[in-house]
């Protein structure tokens, strides 16, 4: 990805990548945006437009068709479900599928998280201990490590059967902290 971006800088702008721009594009790709999305960013940038104008060339347009390229916030959050909840990088087909489910209104972001990831066979096959599970849910939904008191609370509730893993996730998705995480990703 880094080399791809550096090639775009040299090809489209006739210069080497600046550190800030390179890191920003790398971050966007790590959060699920495709190479076509990055290319479009270069091709429709003011810098490239000015270069085209200087050569008397009419700059064209790039139309993005992938669902993952339609909403960077949604894509970033869904990519995060892979890395935080499942503990692995996203796969392109899966990311595209879940972005489509969300962006077409077939599932809310909470339903994608629940049906697509929390109840997935992949997560179940990991046989997470309650402590591992609670920690991942804090990381996924609250964007932080669990505090000692909160961790102990949920471990006790799960151990006694007073609460289930679904209760925990449901509670997290209704929390102010999760609302703030969603807001950071531009999600309703």
């Amino acid at each position: 990805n880094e080399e791809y971006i550096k090639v775009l800088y040299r090809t489209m702008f006739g210069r080497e990548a600046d550190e800030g721009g390179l890191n920003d594009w790398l971050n966007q790709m790590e959060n699920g945006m495709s190479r076509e999305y990055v290319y479009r960013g270069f091709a429709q940038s003011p810098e490239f437009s000015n270069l085209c104008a200087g050569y008397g060339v009419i700059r064209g347009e790039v139309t993005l068709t992938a669902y993952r390229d339609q909403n960077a916030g949604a894509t970033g959050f869904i990519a995060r479900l892979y890395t935080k909840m499942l503990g692995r990088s996203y796969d392109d087909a899966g990311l595209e599928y879940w972005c489509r489910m969300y962006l077409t209104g077939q599932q809310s972001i909470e339903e994608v998280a629940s049906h697509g990831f929390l109840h997935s066979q992949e997560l179940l096959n990991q046989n997470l201990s309650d402590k591992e599970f609670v920690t991942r849910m804090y990381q996924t939904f609250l964007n932080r490590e669990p505090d000692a008191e909160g961790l102990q609370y949920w471990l006790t509730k799960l151990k006694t059967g007073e609460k289930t893993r679904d209760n925990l996730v449901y509670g997290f998705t209704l929390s102010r902290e999760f609302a703030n995480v969603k807001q950071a990703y531009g999600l309703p």
Side-chain angles (χ1 to χ4, degrees), residues 42-143:
F42 278 81
Q44 294 188 200
S45 70
E47 186 171 352
F48 187 67
S49 295
N50 290 337
L51 280 171
C52 288
Y55 286 103
V57 174
I58 299 172
R59 191 204 78 198
E61 298 289 324
V62 177
T63 302
L64 298 173
T65 58
Y67 284 98
R68 70 188 274 187
D69 290 332
Q70 303 305 311
N71 181 320
T75 300
F77 186 81
I78 293 168
R80 167 192 183 78
L81 292 173
Y82 280 95
T83 59
K84 300 295 184 184
M85 193 178 295
L86 297 181
R88 69 169 175 90
S89 184
Y90 61 85
D91 57 279
D92 290 339
L95 183 63
E96 181 69 8
Y97 174 80
W98 291 114
C99 287
R100 178 173 55 82
M101 295 301 286
Y102 173 70
L103 293 172
T104 60
Q106 294 178 57
Q107 292 191 10
S108 68
I109 203 66
E110 290 83 2
E111 290 169 324
V112 168
S114 177
H115 303 301
F117 293 84
L118 179 65
H119 295 123
S120 71
Q121 194 60 51
E122 182 176 347
L123 186 64
L124 294 173
N125 288 344
Q126 292 182 23
N127 293 317
L128 298 175
S129 68
D130 283 345
K131 183 177 181 181
E132 292 169 321
F133 180 82
V134 172
T135 298
R136 280 207 194 168
M137 296 308 108
Y138 267 89
Q139 294 165 342
T140 301
F141 293 106
L142 306 183
N143 199 29

